CSV table of all heavy atoms in Angstrom, one decimal:
chain,number,residue,atom,x,y,z
O,374,LEU,N,139.7,36.7,22.4
O,374,LEU,CA,138.6,35.6,22.4
O,374,LEU,C,138.1,35.4,21.0
O,374,LEU,O,137.4,34.4,20.8
O,374,LEU,CB,137.5,36.0,23.4
O,374,LEU,CG,137.6,35.4,24.8
O,374,LEU,CD1,138.8,35.9,25.5
O,374,LEU,CD2,136.3,35.7,25.6
O,375,ASN,N,138.4,36.3,20.1
O,375,ASN,CA,138.0,36.1,18.7
O,375,ASN,C,139.0,35.4,17.8
O,375,ASN,O,138.9,35.2,16.6
O,375,ASN,CB,137.6,37.4,18.0
O,375,ASN,CG,136.4,38.0,18.7
O,375,ASN,OD1,135.5,37.3,19.2
O,375,ASN,ND2,136.3,39.4,18.6
O,376,ASP,N,140.1,35.0,18.5
O,376,ASP,CA,141.2,34.3,17.8
O,376,ASP,C,141.0,32.8,18.0
O,376,ASP,O,141.0,32.2,19.1
O,376,ASP,CB,142.5,34.7,18.5
O,376,ASP,CG,143.7,34.1,17.7
O,376,ASP,OD1,143.6,33.1,17.1
O,376,ASP,OD2,144.8,34.8,17.8
O,377,SER,N,140.7,32.1,16.9
O,377,SER,CA,140.4,30.6,16.9
O,377,SER,C,141.5,29.8,17.5
O,377,SER,O,141.2,28.6,17.9
O,377,SER,CB,140.1,30.2,15.5
O,377,SER,OG,141.2,30.3,14.6
O,378,ARG,N,142.7,30.3,17.6
O,378,ARG,CA,143.8,29.5,18.2
O,378,ARG,C,143.5,29.2,19.7
O,378,ARG,O,144.1,28.3,20.2
O,378,ARG,CB,145.1,30.2,18.1
O,378,ARG,CG,145.6,30.4,16.7
O,378,ARG,CD,146.9,31.2,16.6
O,378,ARG,NE,146.8,32.5,17.3
O,378,ARG,CZ,147.8,33.2,17.7
O,378,ARG,NH1,149.1,32.8,17.6
O,378,ARG,NH2,147.6,34.4,18.3
O,379,PHE,N,142.6,30.0,20.3
O,379,PHE,CA,142.4,29.8,21.7
O,379,PHE,C,141.0,29.2,22.0
O,379,PHE,O,140.6,29.2,23.1
O,379,PHE,CB,142.5,31.2,22.4
O,379,PHE,CG,143.8,31.8,22.2
O,379,PHE,CD1,144.0,33.0,21.4
O,379,PHE,CD2,145.0,31.3,22.7
O,379,PHE,CE1,145.2,33.6,21.1
O,379,PHE,CE2,146.2,31.9,22.5
O,379,PHE,CZ,146.3,33.0,21.7
O,380,ASP,N,140.3,28.7,20.9
O,380,ASP,CA,139.0,28.1,21.1
O,380,ASP,C,139.2,26.9,22.1
O,380,ASP,O,140.1,26.1,22.0
O,380,ASP,CB,138.5,27.6,19.8
O,380,ASP,CG,138.0,28.7,18.9
O,380,ASP,OD1,138.0,29.9,19.4
O,380,ASP,OD2,137.7,28.5,17.7
O,381,GLY,N,138.2,26.8,23.0
O,381,GLY,CA,138.2,25.7,23.9
O,381,GLY,C,139.2,25.8,25.1
O,381,GLY,O,139.3,24.9,26.0
O,382,SER,N,139.8,27.0,25.2
O,382,SER,CA,140.7,27.2,26.3
O,382,SER,C,140.0,27.2,27.7
O,382,SER,O,138.8,27.8,27.8
O,382,SER,CB,141.4,28.6,26.2
O,382,SER,OG,142.1,29.0,27.3
O,383,GLU,N,140.6,26.7,28.7
O,383,GLU,CA,140.0,26.7,30.0
O,383,GLU,C,140.8,27.5,31.0
O,383,GLU,O,140.4,27.5,32.2
O,383,GLU,CB,139.9,25.2,30.6
O,383,GLU,CG,139.0,24.3,29.7
O,383,GLU,CD,138.9,22.9,30.3
O,383,GLU,OE1,138.3,22.7,31.4
O,383,GLU,OE2,139.6,22.0,29.7
O,384,ILE,N,141.9,28.1,30.6
O,384,ILE,CA,142.7,28.9,31.4
O,384,ILE,C,142.9,30.3,30.9
O,384,ILE,O,143.4,30.5,29.8
O,384,ILE,CB,144.1,28.3,31.6
O,384,ILE,CG1,144.0,26.9,32.1
O,384,ILE,CG2,145.0,29.1,32.5
O,384,ILE,CD1,145.3,26.1,32.1
O,385,LEU,N,142.4,31.3,31.7
O,385,LEU,CA,142.5,32.7,31.3
O,385,LEU,C,143.6,33.4,32.1
O,385,LEU,O,143.6,33.3,33.3
O,385,LEU,CB,141.2,33.4,31.6
O,385,LEU,CG,141.1,34.9,31.2
O,385,LEU,CD1,141.2,35.1,29.7
O,385,LEU,CD2,139.7,35.5,31.7
O,386,VAL,N,144.5,34.1,31.4
O,386,VAL,CA,145.6,34.8,32.1
O,386,VAL,C,145.5,36.3,31.8
O,386,VAL,O,145.3,36.7,30.7
O,386,VAL,CB,147.0,34.3,31.6
O,386,VAL,CG1,148.1,35.0,32.3
O,386,VAL,CG2,147.1,32.8,31.8
O,387,ALA,N,145.5,37.1,32.9
O,387,ALA,CA,145.3,38.5,32.8
O,387,ALA,C,146.3,39.2,33.7
O,387,ALA,O,147.0,38.6,34.5
O,387,ALA,CB,143.9,38.9,33.0
O,388,ARG,N,146.3,40.5,33.6
O,388,ARG,CA,147.1,41.4,34.5
O,388,ARG,C,146.5,41.7,35.8
O,388,ARG,O,145.4,41.1,36.1
O,388,ARG,CB,147.6,42.6,33.7
O,388,ARG,CG,148.5,42.3,32.5
O,388,ARG,CD,149.1,43.6,32.0
O,388,ARG,NE,149.9,43.3,30.8
O,388,ARG,CZ,151.2,42.9,30.9
O,388,ARG,NH1,151.8,42.7,32.1
O,388,ARG,NH2,151.9,42.6,29.8
O,389,GLU,N,147.1,42.6,36.6
O,389,GLU,CA,146.7,42.9,37.9
O,389,GLU,C,145.3,43.5,38.1
O,389,GLU,O,144.8,44.1,37.1
O,389,GLU,CB,147.7,43.8,38.6
O,389,GLU,CG,147.7,45.2,38.2
O,389,GLU,CD,148.4,45.5,36.9
O,389,GLU,OE1,149.1,44.5,36.4
O,389,GLU,OE2,148.4,46.6,36.3
O,390,ASN,N,144.7,43.3,39.3
O,390,ASN,CA,143.4,43.8,39.7
O,390,ASN,C,142.3,43.3,38.8
O,390,ASN,O,141.4,44.1,38.5
O,390,ASN,CB,143.5,45.4,39.7
O,390,ASN,CG,142.4,46.0,40.5
O,390,ASN,OD1,141.9,45.4,41.5
O,390,ASN,ND2,142.0,47.2,40.1
O,391,PHE,N,142.3,42.1,38.5
O,391,PHE,CA,141.3,41.4,37.7
O,391,PHE,C,140.0,41.4,38.5
O,391,PHE,O,140.0,41.0,39.7
O,391,PHE,CB,141.7,40.0,37.3
O,391,PHE,CG,140.8,39.5,36.2
O,391,PHE,CD1,141.0,39.8,34.9
O,391,PHE,CD2,139.7,38.6,36.6
O,391,PHE,CE1,140.1,39.2,33.9
O,391,PHE,CE2,138.9,38.1,35.6
O,391,PHE,CZ,139.1,38.4,34.3
O,392,GLY,N,138.8,41.7,37.9
O,392,GLY,CA,137.5,41.6,38.6
O,392,GLY,C,137.2,42.8,39.5
O,392,GLY,O,136.4,42.7,40.4
O,393,CYS,N,137.9,43.9,39.2
O,393,CYS,CA,137.6,45.1,40.1
O,393,CYS,C,136.2,45.6,39.7
O,393,CYS,O,135.5,45.2,38.8
O,393,CYS,CB,138.6,46.2,39.9
O,393,CYS,SG,138.9,46.7,38.1
O,394,GLY,N,135.7,46.6,40.4
O,394,GLY,CA,134.4,47.2,40.1
O,394,GLY,C,133.3,46.6,41.0
O,394,GLY,O,133.6,46.3,42.1
O,395,SER,N,132.1,46.6,40.5
O,395,SER,CA,131.0,46.1,41.3
O,395,SER,C,131.1,44.6,41.6
O,395,SER,O,131.9,43.9,41.0
O,395,SER,CB,129.7,46.4,40.5
O,395,SER,OG,129.6,45.5,39.4
O,396,SER,N,130.3,44.2,42.6
O,396,SER,CA,130.5,42.9,43.2
O,396,SER,C,129.6,41.8,42.5
O,396,SER,O,129.4,40.8,43.0
O,396,SER,CB,130.1,42.9,44.6
O,396,SER,OG,128.8,43.3,44.8
O,397,ARG,N,129.1,42.1,41.3
O,397,ARG,CA,128.2,41.2,40.6
O,397,ARG,C,128.7,39.8,40.5
O,397,ARG,O,129.8,39.6,39.9
O,397,ARG,CB,127.7,41.8,39.3
O,397,ARG,CG,128.8,41.9,38.2
O,397,ARG,CD,128.4,42.7,37.0
O,397,ARG,NE,128.1,44.0,37.3
O,397,ARG,CZ,127.9,45.0,36.4
O,397,ARG,NH1,128.1,44.7,35.1
O,397,ARG,NH2,127.6,46.2,36.7
O,398,GLU,N,127.9,38.9,40.9
O,398,GLU,CA,128.3,37.4,40.8
O,398,GLU,C,128.2,36.9,39.4
O,398,GLU,O,128.7,35.9,39.1
O,398,GLU,CB,127.4,36.6,41.8
O,398,GLU,CG,128.0,35.3,42.1
O,398,GLU,CD,127.3,34.6,43.3
O,398,GLU,OE1,126.3,35.1,43.7
O,398,GLU,OE2,127.8,33.5,43.7
O,399,HIS,N,127.5,37.7,38.5
O,399,HIS,CA,127.3,37.3,37.1
O,399,HIS,C,128.7,37.2,36.4
O,399,HIS,O,128.8,36.5,35.4
O,399,HIS,CB,126.5,38.3,36.4
O,399,HIS,CG,125.1,38.5,37.0
O,399,HIS,ND1,124.9,39.2,38.2
O,399,HIS,CD2,123.9,38.0,36.6
O,399,HIS,CE1,123.6,39.2,38.4
O,399,HIS,NE2,122.9,38.5,37.5
O,400,ALA,N,129.7,38.0,36.9
O,400,ALA,CA,131.0,37.9,36.3
O,400,ALA,C,131.6,36.5,36.3
O,400,ALA,O,132.0,36.0,35.2
O,400,ALA,CB,131.9,39.0,36.9
O,401,PRO,N,131.8,35.9,37.5
O,401,PRO,CA,132.3,34.5,37.4
O,401,PRO,C,131.3,33.6,36.7
O,401,PRO,O,131.8,32.6,36.1
O,401,PRO,CB,132.5,34.1,38.9
O,401,PRO,CG,131.8,35.2,39.7
O,401,PRO,CD,131.7,36.4,38.8
O,402,TRP,N,130.0,33.8,36.7
O,402,TRP,CA,129.1,32.9,36.0
O,402,TRP,C,129.4,33.0,34.5
O,402,TRP,O,129.4,32.0,33.8
O,402,TRP,CB,127.6,33.4,36.2
O,402,TRP,CG,127.1,33.2,37.6
O,402,TRP,CD1,127.7,32.6,38.6
O,402,TRP,CD2,125.9,33.7,38.1
O,402,TRP,NE1,126.9,32.7,39.8
O,402,TRP,CE2,125.8,33.4,39.5
O,402,TRP,CE3,124.8,34.4,37.5
O,402,TRP,CZ2,124.7,33.7,40.2
O,402,TRP,CZ3,123.7,34.8,38.3
O,402,TRP,CH2,123.6,34.4,39.6
O,403,ALA,N,129.7,34.2,34.0
O,403,ALA,CA,130.0,34.4,32.6
O,403,ALA,C,131.3,33.7,32.2
O,403,ALA,O,131.4,33.0,31.2
O,403,ALA,CB,130.0,35.8,32.2
O,404,ILE,N,132.3,33.8,33.1
O,404,ILE,CA,133.6,33.2,32.8
O,404,ILE,C,133.5,31.7,32.8
O,404,ILE,O,134.0,31.1,31.9
O,404,ILE,CB,134.6,33.7,33.9
O,404,ILE,CG1,135.0,35.2,33.7
O,404,ILE,CG2,135.9,32.8,33.9
O,404,ILE,CD1,135.7,35.8,34.8
O,405,LEU,N,132.8,31.2,33.8
O,405,LEU,CA,132.6,29.7,33.8
O,405,LEU,C,131.8,29.2,32.7
O,405,LEU,O,132.1,28.2,32.1
O,405,LEU,CB,132.0,29.3,35.2
O,405,LEU,CG,131.9,27.8,35.5
O,405,LEU,CD1,133.3,27.2,35.6
O,405,LEU,CD2,131.1,27.6,36.8
O,406,ASP,N,130.7,29.9,32.4
O,406,ASP,CA,129.8,29.4,31.3
O,406,ASP,C,130.5,29.5,29.9
O,406,ASP,O,130.2,28.7,29.1
O,406,ASP,CB,128.6,30.3,31.3
O,406,ASP,CG,127.5,29.7,30.4
O,406,ASP,OD1,127.0,28.6,30.7
O,406,ASP,OD2,127.1,30.3,29.4
O,407,TYR,N,131.5,30.4,29.8
O,407,TYR,CA,132.2,30.5,28.5
O,407,TYR,C,133.2,29.3,28.4
O,407,TYR,O,133.5,28.8,27.3
O,407,TYR,CB,133.0,31.8,28.5
O,407,TYR,CG,133.7,32.0,27.2
O,407,TYR,CD1,133.1,32.6,26.1
O,407,TYR,CD2,135.1,31.6,27.0
O,407,TYR,CE1,133.7,32.7,24.9
O,407,TYR,CE2,135.7,31.8,25.8
O,407,TYR,CZ,135.0,32.4,24.7
O,407,TYR,OH,135.7,32.5,23.5
O,408,GLY,N,133.6,28.7,29.5
O,408,GLY,CA,134.5,27.6,29.5
O,408,GLY,C,135.8,27.7,30.3
O,408,GLY,O,136.5,26.7,30.4
O,409,PHE,N,136.0,28.8,30.9
O,409,PHE,CA,137.2,29.0,31.7
O,409,PHE,C,137.0,28.4,33.1
O,409,PHE,O,136.0,28.7,33.8
O,409,PHE,CB,137.6,30.5,31.8
O,409,PHE,CG,138.1,31.1,30.5
O,409,PHE,CD1,137.4,32.1,30.0
O,409,PHE,CD2,139.2,30.6,29.9
O,409,PHE,CE1,137.8,32.7,28.8
O,409,PHE,CE2,139.6,31.2,28.7
O,409,PHE,CZ,138.9,32.2,28.1
O,410,ARG,N,137.9,27.6,33.5
O,410,ARG,CA,137.8,27.0,34.9
O,410,ARG,C,138.9,27.5,35.8
O,410,ARG,O,138.9,27.4,37.0
O,410,ARG,CB,138.0,25.5,34.8
O,410,ARG,CG,136.9,24.9,33.9
O,410,ARG,CD,136.7,23.4,34.0
O,410,ARG,NE,136.2,23.2,35.4
O,410,ARG,CZ,136.4,22.1,36.1
O,410,ARG,NH1,137.3,21.2,35.7
O,410,ARG,NH2,135.9,21.9,37.3
O,411,VAL,N,139.9,28.2,35.2
O,411,VAL,CA,141.1,28.7,35.9
O,411,VAL,C,141.3,30.1,35.4
O,411,VAL,O,141.3,30.4,34.2
O,411,VAL,CB,142.3,27.9,35.7
O,411,VAL,CG1,143.5,28.5,36.4
O,411,VAL,CG2,142.1,26.4,36.2
O,412,VAL,N,141.6,31.1,36.3
O,412,VAL,CA,142.0,32.4,36.0
O,412,VAL,C,143.3,32.6,36.7
O,412,VAL,O,143.5,32.3,37.9
O,412,VAL,CB,141.0,33.5,36.4
O,412,VAL,CG1,141.5,34.9,36.0
O,412,VAL,CG2,139.6,33.2,35.7
O,413,ILE,N,144.3,33.2,36.0
O,413,ILE,CA,145.6,33.5,36.6
O,413,ILE,C,145.9,34.9,36.4
O,413,ILE,O,145.8,35.5,35.3
O,413,ILE,CB,146.8,32.6,35.9
O,413,ILE,CG1,146.5,31.1,36.0
O,413,ILE,CG2,148.1,33.0,36.5
O,413,ILE,CD1,147.5,30.3,35.3
C-alpha cells in the first residue's frame, strides 16, 4: 500500500482466510473507505 504504482486501486487480491479473527464491522469500513470495492 506504500507503493505508488498501486495508488487509486479498487481491487485488493490476497491469499486464503482473509478477514479471520474478530467480527468487527470496522474492517470492511476501512477497506471501502480506503478505496477498495472488490476483494479477491
Side-chain angles (χ1 to χ4, degrees):
L374 265 64
N375 293 334
D376 188 332
S377 62
R378 295 178 303 162
F379 305 108
D380 288 352
S382 170
E383 295 181 75
I384 302 172
L385 180 66
V386 180
R388 293 192 180 276
E389 72 279 354
N390 200 27
F391 191 85
C393 57
S395 68
S396 61
R397 64 188 65 167
E398 199 168 7
H399 302 74
W402 294 352
I404 289 169
L405 186 62
D406 192 66
Y407 186 85
F409 293 117
R410 303 197 67 214
V411 176
V412 180
I413 300 173

